[in-house]
Structures are given as structure tokens and as C-alpha cells.
Amino acid sequence: TDHKKEVKVGWAPAMADLKIKQKEYNEAVQYLDMAYETADRKEDKARYAFIAGQISGLNGRYAEASAFFEKAKKKAGKNFKLKFMAQLNQLKNNALDGNNGVRDVEKGLEKMLKEDKNKDYRDQIYFALGEIEFRDCCQKPNGVTRNHHTCGR
């Protein structure tokens, strides 16, 4: 029975990997979700959720991506970098989803900037703020941001 469990646990990640290589991303996300459910270790669950979040975000499914990044954050344990990247990506996907106000997302990123534990990653936080500002500005008819900057169109 141990062998059957090993096969069950290893099958979904292997299929997800195959589907990614075949560029069948929707199917890959389904297998990653299965892998998340069958994995025994928190680290594996976090990794599968993070990858599913990345794929979902790249395919424009921002709310789904955000949910996967939330799962990754919760299972990341002591892996600070994974937890940080999951939080950063969750905020970026929240902004892209449009259900959360851009200002709320910016507040979340600004809070991350103030935390000492994130000091080595501030460049990534600033980059995310810039991406959000640029997208927000480019969606406005006159291309002027709330900070009165113009978009480089």
C-alpha cells in the first residue's frame, strides 16, 4: 500500500509538469491543484500552489491566481522567500483582477516596504508598485495618473 500512495502522490505533479511542457496550461493548473491536495509536505503544497498561481496569472485568471498565492503563503512555513513572493504576487494579481482597489493594493505593498524583514526585496516591491501605477494609468482615457504623471504611450 505504501507503493500505491507514492504513485498517487507523485502522479499529479508529473502530469502537471508534462502539461506545462505541452503548453496545456489549464490542465497543468488542474493537476497542480490535485498535487496540492495529495502532497504530504507543506513545502510541496506551497510550491504547487505557487506554480498554479503563476500560470493562472499569466493566463489572465487573476482571482484564481490570487487564491493560489494565498494557499502558497499559508503553507510556506519558514521559507521566507516563497512566502514573500507569494504575498507580492497575490497583491499584483489583486490589482489586475480589479475587484480590489488599486489604492488598497498599493497600501499593502507600502506596508511590505516598511517591514524590516523585506529590506533585501525592496527593489521587487518598488517594481510591483511601478507596474501597478503604469497599468492603472494606461487604463485611464487621458493617461494621467492620480499623481499627475503621464503614461509613456
Side-chain angles (χ1 to χ4, degrees), residues 19-105:
K19 294 300 178 182
I20 291 168
K21 288 178 178 154
Q22 294 173 337
K23 298 185 183 338
E24 295 175 10
Y25 300 115
N26 291 333
E27 292 85 355
V29 169
Q30 292 172 354
Y31 284 113
L32 286 163
D33 202 21
M34 279 188 240
Y36 177 89
E37 295 301 327
T38 58
D40 291 329
R41 297 176 45 219
K42 280 185 176 184
E43 298 86 15
D44 292 336
K45 286 181 179 281
R47 193 173 79 236
Y48 299 143
F50 189 88
I51 296 167
Q54 287 178 307
I55 293 170
S56 297
L58 289 171
N59 286 313
R61 295 190 315 272
Y62 306 120
E64 179 182 274
S66 184
F68 279 120
F69 287 125
E70 178 64 26
K71 285 182 175 183
K73 254 183 1 186
K74 287 182 177 176
K75 297 295 181 184
K78 294 182 182 185
N79 186 337
F80 175 78
K81 188 167 185 177
L82 181 62
K83 192 179 285 189
F84 170 83
M85 293 305 295
Q87 183 175 6
L88 185 66
N89 280 292
Q90 182 181 28
L91 287 168
K92 283 169 47 174
N93 278 279
N94 284 344
L96 292 168
D97 183 39
N99 287 337
N100 295 325
V102 171
R103 189 64 202 131
D104 290 338
V105 173

Side-chain angles (χ1 to χ4, degrees), residues 128-145:
L129 281 165
E131 280 183 305
I132 291 166
E133 181 75 17
F134 181 76
R135 283 192 183 110
D136 186 45
C137 137
C138 289
Q139 291 173 354
K140 297 200 181 335
N142 63 357
V144 177
T145 69

